[in-house]
Amino acid sequence: MSIFLRHTLILSLALLSCTNIVGQIAVISGTVTSNSTKESLAGVTVSCGTTNGTNTDSKGNYRLEVPVGEQAIQFRLISYKTITKNISVVAGQKLQVDIALEDEYQDLGTVVISASKFEQRIEEVTVSMEVLKPYLIENTNATSADQALDQLPGVNVVDGQANIRGGSGWSYGAGSRVQVMVDDLPLLAADAGDAKWSFIPLENVAQAEVVKGASSVLYGSSALNGIINFRTGYPTDSPETKIELFRGVYDHATQTLNDTLYELNDWMKPWQGYTGLSVLHKEKFGNLDAVVGGNYFSDQGYRREEWEKRLRVNANLRYRFPSIQGLSAGVNTNIMRSEGSNYFLWADCKTGALLPAPGTTTEYTTWRATIDPFVTYVTSNGGSHKLRTRYFLTDNKNNTNQSSKAIVYYGEYQYQHRFNDYFTATGGLLYSVNTVASELYGDHVGKQQAVYAQGDFKMNRWNISGGARAEKYNVDERNESWAPVFRTGVNFRVTDGTFLRGSFGQGYRFPTVAELFVKTNVGNLSIYPDSLLESETGWSAEIGIKQGFRYKGWQGFVDVAVFQNEYKNMMEFTFAQWGNPLTDPLFGFGFSSMNVGDTRIKGIELTLAGEGQLSSKSSLRFIGGYTYLDPRLIAYDSSLTSKVSIENILGSDSSDFLKYRFQHSLKMDVEFNRPKWMIGASVRYNSYMVNVDNIFVSPLFEFAFPGFGVGYYRDHHQHGDAVLDTRAAWKFNEHIRLSFIVKNLLNNVYMQRPADMQPPRTFALQANVDF
């Protein structure tokens, strides 16, 4: 009995203690909004002291338990001024505190996520980044994502191949050194490792973020040269609907070679061009955020026998659980069907520059689909759990026995903890399975697994970042070793508007199924597999300075970066005698991916961007830059000389300058706005492509394709190519706008890679309705 009484007494004292503790707690709650837009703000950190805090949900609501007495409650969100609210609470009190945050005018106004997987001001990141804003997509009548990206300094897309600062050349549609993503999930196909730019839902892109330099620590294989991450949007407090309808027409094209004028498209029908329609609707239904969109596009083509039709629909759904603060789940989907015909090479460089070479035309039907379930849980102490998954289907059917069906099953778990504003720790695990069933590559299964961690410190004027990753990949019975990589970076704020940065990062890329196993023919041209390809590794380093400016309503920045990238065992498609000289076309000569050796790319880049008021009713915004490259082969694999001559590795000019790179690139876009109308222009200049594969200028190719003439064309086009686009728009009211866009205003005839002519002058009429 004495033991029972003793235990009862202890329990009673404990309950009285708990009651006393509970009694000393008060609860504050409320909503945080933007003072300028009046929209609710998600992700605002609400804290009391150093240990007690929470974050607002997607509706801007928060709930925080605080001790009784005088308390200082702090509200913090990047790009907004921090507010401290002093309150006095008594035990058991429930107090509502609503806050409106003001914009922070000391920064450059751009927030990015891709550099470290959390929100940062662009001037504070430790790497070079570019941001593609939605207005550049909409106002330039970009019909696919590669056209929009072509506006950004240091970024080129050559025949579908993304290239950042010369890190890639032209890979014949297989493999990418740039990881392309939508909402932090990879979008490279399981078979060829390529990006289908028309599959990206441009109608719902909030912004695209480009990280320049090795990014494998956070994003894995294929991020050897950087990443391009398209971020889609969710609804705000008010419903939003957008409709865009456009019609484009191709102009007459001619070219002059050796003082002779050649007609290129006199076969074209009157008013031949393209038509498109995009729709988007965003709305909140209680705790459900819903976005639905779609795009239809029909292109009659500017090259004979080339056309395309595609239909894409997409939806983002997210549900915020009211009973569990910080928990949300949803699914994003995107489905596209496309059909058409394209060709690989022109017939000849003169009148046949927009006609197909015999046997190089392919008719295709393609399905692409992504289904992305996800769960996010944000804790009250600064932690967040994210589980992202993706099912990615690529199904290509064609009339040339090159069909392929590839599926990616992808899953990634990420935990992140933010210790106030001073330190953010990020770590994750991922596992992916790729399956390929193909006439072109055969049947294969690949598996990928990785673990990564990164820490980001912020101390006064310093931002310091460092991380590591280990990743393993295997295809069929081929097992790669674990690939460890590291990165570090620092950003120092010299003055309020001057930021000095330096970074070093390692990267790697595993060979794709296409590079390992492809075996096909394009006309008389053969492409051969190389199952012995080794993985690429490399590193990127840079020093840069970003100078922000703000003066009487103007804001922007000037950025200068000096960089160097080095790659070991670089993979390049190379022309040689890979096949059987007695039975294969062209005596066994053709292309195959191979490890050509070690390379080094040095360069400097200048970027300028800004916007501001010219008067009370007019504004101007601009973005542009210049990139200089010195890409070199520093050592080739001497074991290859039994198969390939060094001239074939080096290319047409037999120097160590890497193939398919532009040494000089210049880009600028300027837009002038008034309340009722807008005018704008963009210019893109690429210098002469110094080096291409020997085969394109050799007599052997002329034998296979008589009159082909790439060498003849290059001899008469040893200057660079400049393309000027213009646009103008009239706003009938706040909901309706009509635009007229002229692409390639000067009607220049030019090619990006050999035998691939680009569009002539194009006139487009575009109508936008927003409500």
Side-chain angles (χ1 to χ4, degrees):
M1 179 64 69
S2 62
I3 295 175
F4 173 77
L5 291 174
R6 188 183 307 119
H7 288 176
T8 302
L9 180 60
I10 292 172
L11 179 62
S12 299
L13 290 174
L15 290 173
L16 287 172
S17 176
C18 291
T19 302
N20 183 59
I21 291 173
V22 171
Q24 301 305 309
I25 295 296
V27 176
I28 64 170
S29 61
T31 303
V32 183
T33 58
S34 166
N35 187 55
S36 58
T37 67
K38 311 305 179 185
E39 297 283 350
S40 58
L41 295 175
V44 179
T45 299
V46 185
S47 61
C48 176
T50 59
T51 59
N52 191 17
T54 187
N55 293 293
T56 58
D57 61 19
S58 59
K59 286 189 172 182
N61 298 323
Y62 73 94
R63 181 182 183 276
L64 181 67
E65 294 182 350
V66 298
V68 298
E70 299 290 333
Q71 303 296 338
I73 311 301
Q74 193 174 72
F75 300 82
R76 303 190 311 276
L77 181 64
I78 193 168
S79 293
Y80 290 86
K81 293 182 179 179
T82 297
I83 289 181
T84 300
K85 185 77 171 179
N86 296 313
I87 61 173
S88 179
V89 292
V90 298
Q93 183 180 9
K94 295 183 178 180
L95 183 65
Q96 181 166 336
V97 179
D98 295 330
I99 294 293
L101 296 183
E102 296 183 10
D103 295 333
E104 175 60 75
Y105 291 108
Q106 276 69 51
D107 59 50
L108 302 178
T110 299
V111 176
V112 294
I113 297 177
S114 301
S116 296
K117 294 201 172 186
F118 66 88
E119 288 187 341
Q120 295 174 284
R121 297 183 178 98
I122 193 170
E123 62 268 27
E124 294 182 345
V125 301
T126 62
V127 294
S128 285
M129 289 191 68
E130 300 290 349
V131 176
L132 178 67
K133 295 293 187 179
Y135 85 88
L136 269 178
I137 299 174
E138 181 178 302
N139 294 359
T140 60
N141 188 232
T143 59
S144 63
D146 55 330
Q147 296 178 15
L149 289 170
D150 210 25
Q151 308 291 330
L152 297 181
V155 181
N156 294 97
V157 182
V158 178
D159 200 18
Q161 173 70 44
N163 179 340
I164 297 176
R165 290 178 172 174
S168 302
W170 174 44
S171 66
Y172 302 84
S176 175
R177 294 188 185 94
V178 176
Q179 179 63 270
V180 180
M181 316 181 78
V182 173
D183 292 326
D184 301 318
L185 293 171
L187 202 67
L188 298 179
D191 48 7
D194 64 330
K196 187 69 171 178
W197 300 104
S198 60
F199 182 55
I200 295 170
L202 289 183
E203 61 274 10
N204 190 30
V205 170
Q207 69 180 29
E209 301 173 3
V210 179
V211 178
K212 300 178 178 180
S215 304
S216 291
V217 164
L218 289 179
Y219 297 103
S221 179
S222 297
L224 182 62
N225 186 213
I227 69 160
I228 301 173
N229 190 11
F230 293 86
R231 312 191 64 84
T232 61
Y234 277 98
T236 57
D237 291 345
S238 301
E240 180 182 5
T241 300
K242 292 186 175 183
I243 302 172
E244 180 181 295
L245 177 66
F246 56 87
R247 167 66 175 163
V249 177
Y250 297 117
D251 199 0
H252 186 66
T254 62
Q255 68 169 333
T256 301
L257 293 173
N258 201 21
D259 297 326
T260 302
L261 182 67
Y262 296 97
E263 302 283 344
L264 298 183
N265 58 356
D266 52 2
W267 45 267
M268 187 177 288
K269 300 176 182 178
W271 300 97
Q272 185 162 321
Y274 57 85
T275 304
L277 170 67
S278 294
V279 295
L280 179 71
H281 181 74
K282 301 179 181 181
E283 189 169 353
K284 291 183 177 182
F285 300 92
N287 292 310
L288 178 67
D289 300 333
V291 181
V292 293
N295 171 264
Y296 171 77
F297 182 74
S298 177
D299 186 3
Q300 295 171 296
Y302 64 92
R303 297 186 284 201
R304 194 165 188 174
E305 298 184 21
E306 194 169 73
W307 59 276
E308 181 184 23
K309 289 183 180 180
R310 62 178 186 255
L311 176 65
R312 185 184 65 243
V313 293
N314 56 85
N316 290 4
L317 299 174
R318 179 178 62 186
Y319 182 76
R320 293 164 283 103
F321 292 86
S323 58
I324 307 176
Q325 185 176 2
L327 179 64
S328 61
V331 59
N332 298 340
T333 60
N334 189 21
I335 301 172
M336 182 179 78
R337 182 187 187 276
S338 60
E339 62 179 7
S341 174
N342 56 28
Y343 64 78
F344 185 66
L345 300 170
W346 65 23
D348 62 71
C349 71
K350 299 176 182 178
T351 58
L354 297 179
L355 304 176
T360 68
T361 301
T362 301
E363 296 180 2
Y364 64 87
T365 300
T366 300
W367 283 92
R368 290 208 173 197
T370 55
I371 303 174
D372 307 334
F374 64 89
V375 178
T376 301
Y377 178 56
V378 180
T379 65
S380 61
N381 64 350
S384 66
H385 303 263
K386 295 180 181 179
L387 178 63
R388 301 186 182 96
T389 62
R390 165 162 285 178
Y391 169 85
F392 178 21
L393 167 69
T394 304
D395 190 0
N396 297 316
K397 293 182 173 62
N398 54 53
N399 65 337
T400 55
N401 299 318
Q402 298 176 342
S403 298
S404 179
K405 182 177 181 180
I407 301 176
V408 177
Y409 303 92
Y410 180 93
E412 180 179 358
Y413 166 75
Q414 175 192 299
Y415 177 73
Q416 189 172 85
H417 197 99
R418 303 194 69 169
F419 299 87
N420 292 323
D421 289 333
Y422 308 111
F423 177 61
T424 301
T426 304
L429 305 167
L430 73 85
Y431 187 77
S432 176
V433 176
N434 302 338
T435 65
V436 178
S438 172
E439 297 175 305
L440 188 58
Y441 317 119
D443 298 347
H444 304 280
V445 177
K447 296 180 181 179
Q448 180 183 5
Q449 47 199 311
V451 57
Y452 63 88
Q454 178 166 303
D456 290 87
F457 302 84
K458 184 175 183 180
M459 299 176 292
N460 298 322
R461 294 175 178 267
W462 294 89
N463 284 275
I464 303 172
S465 179
R469 183 188 189 99
E471 187 157 355
K472 191 178 188 302
Y473 186 73
N474 67 279
V475 179
D476 301 334
E477 302 304 319
R478 170 177 170 157
N479 290 301
E480 298 278 350
S481 301
W482 282 91
V485 289
F486 303 90
R487 71 165 301 269
T488 185
V490 61
N491 184 302
F492 177 67
R493 179 166 56 87
V494 182
T495 67
D496 285 344
T498 306
F499 298 83
L500 184 67
R501 68 180 183 277
S503 65
F504 173 86
Q506 295 177 308
Y508 56 89
R509 184 174 79 88
F510 301 121
T512 65
V513 166
E515 290 169 308
L516 290 169
F517 304 111
V518 62
K519 184 171 176 57
T520 188
N521 295 306
V522 182
N524 291 329
L525 185 65
S526 297
I527 301 175
Y528 294 91
D530 185 354
S531 60
L532 300 180
L533 273 176
E534 297 180 21
S535 298
E536 296 177 310
T537 58
W539 55 264
S540 300
E542 75 163 4
I543 297 175
I545 184 170
K546 189 182 292 289
Q547 176 62 58
F549 61 84
R550 187 180 295 276
Y551 178 74
K552 292 185 178 180
W554 285 85
Q555 65 173 2
F557 66 86
V558 178
D559 189 283
V560 179
V562 178
F563 57 88
Q564 179 170 318
N565 306 331
E566 292 205 7
Y567 303 96
K568 183 178 178 60
N569 288 331
M570 176 175 272
M571 287 180 268
E572 294 269 285
F573 273 90
T574 302
F575 186 82
Q577 192 176 43
W578 304 103
N580 189 315
L582 299 178
T583 59
D584 289 337
L586 282 181
F587 309 106
F589 282 90
F591 285 98
S592 179
S593 184
M594 62 178 288
N595 298 109
V596 296
D598 300 341
T599 61
R600 176 184 296 133
I601 301 173
K602 297 179 180 179
I604 185 170
E605 189 168 80
L606 169 68
T607 304
L608 174 68
E611 59 183 78
Q613 295 295 126
L614 295 173
S615 68
S616 60
K617 293 185 177 182
S618 61
S619 62
L620 184 74
R621 50 188 174 187
F622 54 89
I623 181 172
Y626 165 74
T627 305
Y628 168 80
L629 297 176
D630 184 27
R632 302 287 175 175
L633 180 69
I634 56 177
Y636 68 93
D637 189 345
S638 59
S639 66
L640 298 172
T641 54
S642 60
K643 296 181 181 178
V644 183
S645 68
I646 186 61
E647 287 78 13
N648 280 331
I649 295 176
L650 294 174
S652 59
D653 73 346
S654 296
S655 75
D656 59 358
F657 196 95
L658 292 179
K659 294 177 289 187
Y660 303 108
R661 270 78 171 181
F662 303 112
Q663 189 162 39
H664 305 275
S665 294
L666 176 66
K667 300 182 180 182
M668 177 60 72
D669 184 274
V670 180
E671 185 175 283
F672 176 78
N673 281 275
R674 294 277 293 176
K676 285 291 186 179
W677 53 270
M678 172 273 290
I679 57 172
S682 66
V683 62
R684 301 178 301 281
Y685 169 80
N686 292 317
S687 61
Y688 176 71
M689 187 175 281
V690 175
N691 205 0
V692 300
D693 281 297
N694 260 321
I695 180 61
F696 287 121
V697 298
S698 71
L700 184 61
F701 214 79
E702 284 295 324
F703 172 78
F705 298 98
F708 190 70
V710 167
Y712 180 82
Y713 181 91
R714 285 170 57 81
D715 288 342
H716 291 80
H717 285 80
Q718 295 192 4
H719 54 79
D721 294 303
V723 179
L724 174 64
D725 300 340
T726 59
R727 58 187 184 268
W730 178 262
K731 302 174 185 177
F732 292 92
N733 52 48
E734 60 178 340
H735 302 294
I736 301 175
R737 186 184 66 177
L738 186 66
S739 304
F740 182 65
I741 302 104
V742 183
K743 300 181 181 182
N744 192 2
L745 177 68
L746 303 179
N747 207 16
N748 287 341
V749 174
Y750 67 103
M751 63 182 184
Q752 282 188 321
R753 55 89 171 164
D756 181 35
M757 293 301 249
Q758 296 305 293
R761 181 164 47 215
T762 306
F763 304 98
L765 193 64
Q766 175 179 296
N768 294 84
V769 180
D770 300 343
F771 56 90

